[in-house]
């Protein structure tokens, strides 16, 4: 009887050990990053879909940032149509002057930008993170590389959205790269540092039911990062759209 009890105990322990090993394997598999080509493809497709939705807001943002207000003699005001004070009034003014398609200026370049700015970016980020590298450094490094590669396309897109020719009449196709990096590298560093702390941790069951938590973490991290880096974004737009300190953009 003692031998049978001992045998059953050993069998139970072996079964428990096997179950534990399976759970650990499942957890490890759930945490495995995607293959680079899958990561790049998913990021690029996601960015392309997003571009269709947010391009109008991006165009309005560039319009608002690229116009420097200089009140004219006699009491000119920044509240005129050329200098709309809000997102809605800016969109209305743009549609009134150029039609609804103006809200999608630069969309083809935006879709083309999805390859270096998201496909390359997320692939580099995941690769650096697996070294392992801290999310702050991984995010800043990946964004610096992708933003530099995409700089000429970013310049063309910004100028089109501001109502200008895609390339400046003179100067480098890398115009505005410095403020672009001062915007993008800190943005990614702040975003990934916060997101990796806030996002839910995956278990053996995978990500089922965790989507709202991921969305909340991304929204909070993105809001903080965008708030901190907006001044650099304004400087970038002014430089690329042809505006200078105390001047008026070409648009």
């Amino acid at each position: 009887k003692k031998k049978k009890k001992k045998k059953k105990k050993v069998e139970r322990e072996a079964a428990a050990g096997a179950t534990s090993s399976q759970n650990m394997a499942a957890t490890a598999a759930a945490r495995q990053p995607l293959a680079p080509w899958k990561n790049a493809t998913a990021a690029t497709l996601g960015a392309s879909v997003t571009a269709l939705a947010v391009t109008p807001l991006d165009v309005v943002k560039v319009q608002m940032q690229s116009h420097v207000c200089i009140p004219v003699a006699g009491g000119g005001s920044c509240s005129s149509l050329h200098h709309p004070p809000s997102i809605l009034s800016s969109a209305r003014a743009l549609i009134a002057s150029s039609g609804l398609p103006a809200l999608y200026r630069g969309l083809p370049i935006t879709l083309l930008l999805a390859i270096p700015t998201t496909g390359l970016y997320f692939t580099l980020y995941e690769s650096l993170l697996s070294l392992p590298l801290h999310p702050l450094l991984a995010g800043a490094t990946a964004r610096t590389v992708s933003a530099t590669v995409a700089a000429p396309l970013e310049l063309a897109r910004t100028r089109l959205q501001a109502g200008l020719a895609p390339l400046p009449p003179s100067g480098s196709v890398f115009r505005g790269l410095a403020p672009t990096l001062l915007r993008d590298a800190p943005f990614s560093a702040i975003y990934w540092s916060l997101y990796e702390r806030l996002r839910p941790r995956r278990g053996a069951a995978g990500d089922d039911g965790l989507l709202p938590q991921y969305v909340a973490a991304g929204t909070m991290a993105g809001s903080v990062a965008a708030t901190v880096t907006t001044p650099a974004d304004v400087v970038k737009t002014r430089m690329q759209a042809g505006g200078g300190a105390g001047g008026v953009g070409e648009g």
Side-chain angles (χ1 to χ4, degrees):
K1 289 182 179 180
K2 289 183 179 180
K3 288 182 179 181
K4 288 182 179 179
K5 288 182 179 180
K6 187 174 182 180
K7 184 178 180 180
K8 288 182 179 180
K9 182 179 180 181
V10 171
E11 289 176 347
R12 285 197 300 269
E13 290 176 349
T19 301
S20 178
S21 298
Q22 290 173 354
N23 289 338
M24 291 177 64
T27 301
R31 291 177 178 172
Q32 286 295 318
L34 292 173
W37 71 268
K38 290 183 178 180
N39 207 351
T41 301
T44 300
L45 289 175
S48 298
V49 173
T50 302
L52 296 173
V54 303
T55 289
L57 290 175
D58 203 31
V59 170
V60 169
K61 181 201 74 168
V62 169
Q63 287 282 315
M64 295 181 72
Q65 290 178 343
S66 62
H67 296 138
V68 182
C69 178
I70 302 178
V72 297
S77 171
C78 288
S79 62
S80 64
L81 286 180
H82 192 61
H83 303 286
S86 69
I87 294 174
L88 186 59
S89 60
S90 179
R92 286 175 175 171
L94 185 59
I95 293 172
S97 63
S98 305
L100 187 62
L103 291 177
Y104 287 89
R105 286 174 179 168
L107 179 59
I109 295 180
T110 300
L111 295 175
L112 187 59
L113 271 168
I115 298 173
T117 58
T118 54
L120 174 61
Y121 170 55
F122 281 105
T123 301
L124 277 175
Y125 175 73
E126 290 292 343
S127 299
L128 292 171
L129 205 61
S130 65
L131 288 179
L133 198 65
H134 191 279
L136 186 150
L137 295 176
T141 303
R143 180 56 77 184
T144 298
V145 173
S146 62
T148 302
V149 171
L153 289 174
E154 176 65 25
L155 171 63
R157 178 179 69 166
T158 300
R159 290 181 61 81
L160 284 172
Q161 291 178 337
L164 309 173
L167 295 177
S170 62
S172 170
V173 293
F174 288 92
R175 175 191 286 185
L177 177 59
T180 297
L181 295 181
L182 287 175
R183 177 197 66 176
D184 288 2
F187 181 97
S188 293
I190 295 169
Y191 176 85
W192 287 114
S193 296
L194 291 175
Y195 177 76
E196 293 293 347
R197 287 177 175 272
L198 296 172
R199 72 176 179 85
R201 293 294 178 251
R202 292 181 291 184
D207 291 336
D208 294 343
L210 297 179
L211 180 59
Q213 297 179 51
Y214 279 109
V215 172
T219 301
M220 292 175 65
S223 298
V224 173
T227 300
V228 172
T229 58
T230 290
D233 189 41
V234 175
V235 173
K236 165 196 167 294
T237 302
R238 294 276 175 87
M239 288 184 66
Q240 293 182 333
V248 179
E250 294 171 21

